[in-house]
Amino acid sequence: MSQHTAGLAIETAGLVKTFGETRAVDGVDLAVPTGTVYGVLGPNGAGKTTTVKMLATLLRPDGGQARIFGHDVVREADEVRGRVSLTGQYASVDEDLTGTENLVLLGRLLGHAKKAARERSAQLLAAFGLTDAAGKQVKHYSGGMRRRIDIAASILSTPDLLFLDEPTTGLDPRSRNQVWDIVRAVVAQGTTVLLTTQYLDEADQLASRIAVIDRGRVIAEGTKGELKASVGAGSVHLRLRDPAQRPEAEQVLRLALDADVQRDPDPVALTARLDAAAGDTAAAQAARALGELSRAGIVVDNFSLGQPSLDEVFLALTGHDTKTDAKTHAKTDPKTDPKSDTETGTGPAGGGGTSAGAGAAGRGEKGEVPV
C-alpha cells in the first residue's frame, strides 16, 4: 500500500496483531469508501474489536499497514485521532452524572466554550430523544438510552469517521431500531461509519458493503447482493395443496434441481436451495421444478423465490453461525476477555468524539442529528 487511494476512508493491507502465540488479526485487508456504512461481520472472538482498536490508534499493529483518510495509523496517529471517533461495546459515560453533564463535560474537554458546549449538548439530546432524561443520572437510563447518549458523545464534534463496535449488543428490538436510525442519520450528513456486528440482520439493514471476518481473517467481502450470490442463487419456497404429496414432491424437486430440499414446519411446505453455478437463472430453475411437479400431478398452491439470507452466507463461508461458542475462542484467543477486547471509551483513546474542526456546531431540528 504505497499511496492513498482517493475516495477511501480506510485502507488496510496485511494488518496483523498478535497476543503471545495467537494471531488475533491475521492479515486483514480493507477498503472502506467514504460516506458509507461499512459492516464488519463475525462471531465473538473473530478479531473485529482488535481491528477497530488498531484503526483507532488504541493498539499498535504488529504487521501490515493501515491508513485513515491517507494518514498512517502509526506514523500519523495524531492526525488520525483528529478525524475519528469511537463508540465501544459498553457505555463509557459517567453513570453518576446526568446526560447533560456528561455531554457538557466532554464538550469542554474537546475545546468547546462553555456556552457552545451547553448548546451542542441540548441539540444532541433533542435529536436523540433524550431531552426528558437530560437531568437524570445515566445510571437510571435504560440500555437503549445509554447507547444513544454514548453515540451522542461520539459526535459532539462531528467526526469524519465513526467506529461503532457492536453498538446494539444486548438491546431490545425497539432500541436497536432507534440506534439504526441514528446511524443512518449520521451517514446522511457525511460521516463514514465502520460498524462491527455479530447480528446478520444489522449488517443487512445498514451496511452498503460487508467484510466477513472469522478467526482474524477476512474470508469474504462485497455488497450484500454479491455475498448472497456467492453461496447460491437463492431458494424456492413451495406450499402444496395436499400434505400427503409432500414426500413425492420432495423427491421430484431433488431430482429436478439436484439440490437439497428441506421440509418446513408447515406440513405442506418445502424449501429447495438453488445452485448459482447451475447455468440457469433462479427463475429458470424454479420454472423447471414447477413443470416437473405439474407432470407428476402434484398441485402447488403458491411458491416464492428468495435470495439466501446472510445467515446462510455466513454458515456457508465459515461452517458455523455467528453465535459460535465464544468459549472455544477464549481458550486460544486472549482478546475475547472483556478486559482486553472490548473498547469502553467513547472517542479516540477513550476521550470523547473528535473531529477536524471544533467549536459550536450547526443546529438541527428535533429528530435529526445536528452536525
Side-chain angles (χ1 to χ4, degrees):
M1 190 171 65
S2 59
Q3 61 183 15
H4 172 56
T5 303
L8 292 181
I10 301 172
E11 301 171 85
T12 73
L15 200 60
V16 172
K17 185 63 186 177
T18 60
F19 296 97
E21 297 181 357
T22 300
R23 291 173 74 88
V25 176
D26 190 12
V28 165
D29 298 330
L30 295 174
V32 178
T34 58
T36 64
V37 179
Y38 190 93
V40 178
L41 174 66
N44 290 330
K48 305 185 302 295
T49 295
T50 303
T51 299
V52 166
K53 284 185 175 183
M54 287 189 285
L55 296 175
T57 75
L58 296 174
L59 283 177
R60 187 183 182 94
D62 293 317
Q65 289 182 294
R67 288 179 176 168
I68 305 297
F69 298 106
H71 297 292
D72 187 276
V73 297
V74 176
R75 296 191 305 271
E76 302 173 280
D78 286 343
E79 288 83 354
V80 171
R81 292 175 189 140
R83 301 191 67 173
V84 307
S85 189
L86 167 63
T87 296
Q89 293 179 22
Y90 301 99
S92 63
V93 291
D94 190 325
E95 293 194 343
D96 290 324
L97 298 181
T98 67
T100 294
E101 288 169 344
N102 268 289
L103 295 186
V104 170
L105 172 62
L106 291 171
R108 295 286 283 145
L109 290 172
L110 286 168
H112 291 259
K114 189 172 183 179
K115 180 180 179 182
R118 288 191 173 279
E119 289 178 349
R120 179 61 170 163
S121 298
Q123 291 169 7
L124 288 169
L125 289 165
F128 285 29
L130 293 171
T131 299
D132 291 343
K136 295 181 181 178
Q137 290 177 301
V138 171
K139 63 185 176 184
H140 299 304
Y141 282 17
S142 67
M145 293 167 70
R146 292 187 187 202
R147 294 310 285 160
R148 281 182 276 158
I149 194 74
D150 217 32
I151 297 173
S154 293
I155 60 172
L156 276 161
S157 289
T158 308
D160 295 319
L161 172 61
L162 174 61
F163 296 105
L164 293 177
D165 191 14
E166 301 195 13
T168 62
T169 296
L171 297 187
D172 60 78
R174 180 172 178 270
S175 296
R176 289 180 69 199
N177 284 326
Q178 290 174 336
V179 172
W180 291 356
D181 288 341
I182 290 168
V183 173
R184 294 185 184 103
V186 167
V187 174
Q189 298 187 38
T191 295
T192 303
V193 172
L194 187 138
L195 169 82
T196 74
T197 184
Q198 58 179 304
Y199 296 134
L200 296 143
D201 59 332
E202 185 160 85
D204 210 357
Q205 284 282 334
L206 294 175
S208 55
R209 295 189 71 84
I210 298 169
V212 180
I213 187 169
D214 191 39
R215 294 178 172 87
R217 297 182 178 182
V218 174
I219 58 175
E221 195 277 348
T223 65
K224 292 170 283 189
E226 289 169 347
L227 291 176
K228 291 175 180 180
S230 71
V231 300
S235 55
V236 58
H237 308 280
L238 304 173
R239 294 192 80 255
L240 310 175
R241 180 166 298 178
D242 184 358
Q245 291 186 313
R246 187 159 79 161
E248 183 183 359
E250 184 178 355
Q251 182 66 20
V252 170
L253 286 173
R254 187 173 289 112
L255 292 173
L257 297 173
D258 190 23
D260 292 334
V261 180
Q262 176 183 332
R263 293 190 180 190
D264 297 337
D266 184 339
V268 296
L270 291 168
T271 297
R273 291 288 302 274
L274 303 178
D275 186 1
D280 291 336
T281 64
Q285 292 179 62
R288 182 170 68 251
L290 289 172
E292 293 298 326
L293 289 169
S294 179
R295 280 187 282 276
I298 298 171
V299 179
V300 176
D301 275 346
N302 59 62
F303 79 98
S304 62
L305 284 173
Q307 274 192 315
S309 67
L310 278 179
D311 300 78
E312 294 171 309
V313 170
F314 196 88
L315 183 62
L317 291 171
T318 67
H320 57 81
D321 61 28
T322 55
K323 301 300 182 184
T324 190
D325 188 3
K327 293 180 182 178
T328 301
H329 292 280
K331 292 177 182 177
T332 58
D333 194 345
K335 66 182 178 47
T336 55
D337 187 285
K339 295 180 181 179
S340 62
D341 193 42
T342 53
E343 177 49 52
T344 58
T346 300
T354 67
S355 72
R363 298 180 180 275
E365 296 300 321
K366 184 176 180 180
E368 299 176 351
V369 177
V371 296

